[in-house]
Every structure is written in structure tokens, then in C-alpha cells.
Amino acid sequence: MSFAVFADGTANLPKNLLGDIRLLPCEYLADGQPQVYHGDVDSFDGHAFYESLKAGSVIQTSLLNTDLFLTHFEPVLKEGRDIIYISMSSGISGTFNAARIAAEELMEKYSERFIHIVDSLGCGFGNGILALRAEELGRQGRTAREAAAVLDDEVPHVCQYFTVDDLNFLKRTGRVSGITASIGTVLNIKPILFGDATGHIISCAKVRGRRKSIEALAQKYEEKRKRDKDQRVFISHGDCSQDAQTLAGLIREITPDASITVCQHEPFSGAHVGPGMLGLFFYGVER
């Protein structure tokens, strides 16, 4: 490959899919104590993490800063390789801008090199899918500039829908009001959320009951999936593996030959959606 592919821990990629993708660490505070998540979702103890959230643990996350990108990108440029970094959505984090600033600084210093920051407009597998695509393009012999153009064109087709079990976590991050969270909890209302065209998380539907929310995710897949390509589907969950398997079963009823990856949802963004989060990610006709 003529270029290196970078993502970060939010990409949610298990080791069997990583290949040569390089994951940058995500730092956060858990009850005031510094934690570093390096992206190893296989060894991530999701049960312990989400149980701690249920017990009231307070998680504070921050953007990946410019110095982090400078430190990890420059050795690759010195090797004579270009770089593509798949960033979490600019609509939910300042990480994209931090990476862009680092790229501009480094390309002034290494004028013969090319760095492209892809705004995935998503998180979790929402940027993991694009990291996998970037590596695939590299192995096909595409240059970084060619791959960058393809990836930017494909961003609008990465669909990401999810539901949550406890609206109070969305209340803490300002996604829903306190009144909405209270009423929703009492009435067992489950929102269906998605990353829109600007990378912001918004609600596209509300249903009553957990089973209905799982079925609603499968219905979104039926509506949005591309019929003309092999289906790779990704499901992540906040320590609710049985619900994830139920969703996978519904997806297989729609496309029996779909390749489905199921794993825990990483902690960095998982802290904002809480235990019981269930997410569905795939290539579709549109977001």
C-alpha cells in the first residue's frame, strides 16, 4: 500500500478485521481517573464498563488533540508514505478539526506527501466501515488521492441507526431534554436515532418497547440497503448481546447471505449512549 490508513478507538473494529489499519488511542476520565482506550474491542470488558455506568460512574471524554496526530503521522511521512485518517463525525467532536490542523501543518513540512482527513459523519462502525474500505482501496493499488475521492463519495451511503435503553444518558449529553427523557422512560418510549447528513445525531422515529425498537432497526435496513452489492452489516451493543443476536437474525431474514459482524460498542462513545445501546451500520442508498 502506498498510504497508511489511520482510524481511532471509536472505529470499533475487532482484530480479525483490522489488517494494517492503525488505531489511535482515545483518552477519557472515569470518575476522575485517566483511562486510555487503544481500540482493542476484543479484550474490552463491556459488561463491567456498562454495569459501572448503570451504577452511576461518570465518564468524561475529550477530542483527540492535534499533538497526537502530529506524533503518529510524522513517522509515516518520513517513510515516504501518504496518509488517510478516518475521523469520527465533525458533528459530535472537535477531533476532525484537530486532525485537519495537524495535516495542514505536516503537509507544509513534507510538501511531497499527501494527507487526507475523511469526515465520516459517524462514529463506532460508522467510521470503522470507511477505514475498512480505505484499506481495501489501498490493497487494490489505488493512490491516497484516488482513495480519498472514493471515500468522500461513499460517506453519504454509510447508514448508521441505533436505539438506546435508557434515555437519561442522552439527556446528559443534551440529545434529549429532561422532560422528554422522563416521559419516555415512564411510557417505555424508545427513539430510533441516526447520523444525519451533517454528522449530528437526531431522532427519526419513536416506538414503544424494546422489541419494537429492534424491529424498527431491521426495517431501516430493509428500506435503505443497497440491493446491488454484497451486504456487510455491523452491529454493536452496550452489553445487550441477546438483543444484538435478535437483530442479526432479523437482518438474515432480509438478506440470508449477509456478512454480519457483532461486537460490544466501544467505551469512548458508548459512555454517551449508555448500556442497552444497539446500533446497526451498513452501506445504503442514502443515510
Side-chain angles (χ1 to χ4, degrees):
M1 292 174 60
S2 63
F3 60 91
V5 178
F6 282 87
D8 54 64
T10 66
N12 222 103
L13 296 170
K15 285 182 179 178
N16 68 308
L17 296 179
L18 266 181
D20 292 327
I21 298 170
R22 308 180 188 205
L23 297 181
L24 301 178
C26 297
E27 298 182 1
Y28 62 94
L29 296 177
D31 295 325
Q33 298 301 310
Q35 306 289 329
V36 180
Y37 177 64
H38 292 280
D40 186 2
V41 73
D42 296 287
S43 61
F44 166 53
D45 189 343
H47 176 69
F49 178 79
Y50 288 107
E51 282 296 311
S52 74
L53 292 181
K54 289 180 184 178
S57 181
V58 177
I59 306 296
Q60 298 170 283
T61 61
S62 59
L63 58 82
L64 279 65
N65 61 53
T66 298
D67 285 343
L68 179 73
F69 293 108
L70 292 173
T71 299
H72 285 81
F73 286 178
E74 188 162 19
V76 175
L77 300 176
K78 287 181 176 179
E79 294 171 1
R81 302 177 72 195
D82 296 328
I83 292 172
I84 289 180
Y85 168 64
I86 313 297
S87 171
M88 68 183 87
S89 172
S90 62
I92 62 173
S93 172
T95 294
F96 171 78
N97 281 329
R100 181 181 53 78
I101 291 169
E104 291 173 355
E105 181 177 330
L106 288 169
M107 282 194 290
E108 286 184 7
K109 185 175 180 180
Y110 300 89
S111 57
E112 74 284 5
R113 299 269 59 86
F114 175 72
I115 305 173
H116 184 67
I117 313 301
V118 178
D119 185 353
S120 71
L121 300 179
C123 200
F125 279 126
N127 47 310
I129 289 175
L130 290 165
L132 292 174
R133 180 66 168 134
E135 190 195 33
E136 178 183 52
L137 291 167
R139 293 192 180 283
Q140 290 173 357
R142 303 288 189 97
T143 67
R145 292 181 186 276
E146 291 170 338
V150 172
L151 293 165
D152 285 344
D153 284 344
E154 292 188 356
V155 166
H157 298 286
V158 177
C159 295
Q160 44 206 325
Y161 293 91
F162 67 99
T163 189
V164 297
D165 199 40
D166 186 345
L167 286 167
N168 286 304
F169 286 92
L170 290 173
K171 180 187 74 173
R172 292 171 196 167
T173 57
R175 300 300 177 191
V176 299
S177 69
I179 293 176
T180 298
S182 298
I183 294 174
T185 300
V186 171
L187 299 179
N188 198 23
I189 299 298
K190 307 298 182 186
I192 306 302
L193 304 133
F194 78 110
D196 70 7
T198 63
H200 293 84
I201 304 301
I202 62 173
S203 173
C204 61
K206 295 182 180 69
V207 296
R208 182 170 293 179
R210 182 66 168 183
R211 175 69 190 193
K212 290 292 186 183
S213 69
I214 298 172
E215 292 173 350
L217 291 175
Q219 181 59 39
K220 284 296 181 183
Y221 172 73
E222 173 62 33
E223 292 173 5
K224 298 290 187 177
R225 68 187 174 94
K226 282 192 172 184
R227 267 70 171 178
D228 60 347
K229 69 178 297 181
D230 295 336
Q231 287 298 322
R232 296 185 69 183
V233 178
F234 300 83
I235 297 171
S236 62
H237 63 90
D239 195 33
C240 52
S241 59
Q242 187 56 57
D243 289 343
Q245 292 302 327
T246 297
L247 177 57
L250 294 174
I251 298 301
R252 289 192 180 95
E253 290 179 9
I254 299 168
T255 48
D257 58 347
S259 170
I260 304 177
T261 298
V262 179
C263 69
Q264 291 271 16
H265 191 77
E266 46 79 23
F268 196 75
S269 62
H272 299 283
V273 290
M277 173 273 181
L278 184 62
L280 177 67
F281 307 82
F282 58 95
Y283 269 108
V285 293
E286 62 179 354
R287 283 179 178 254

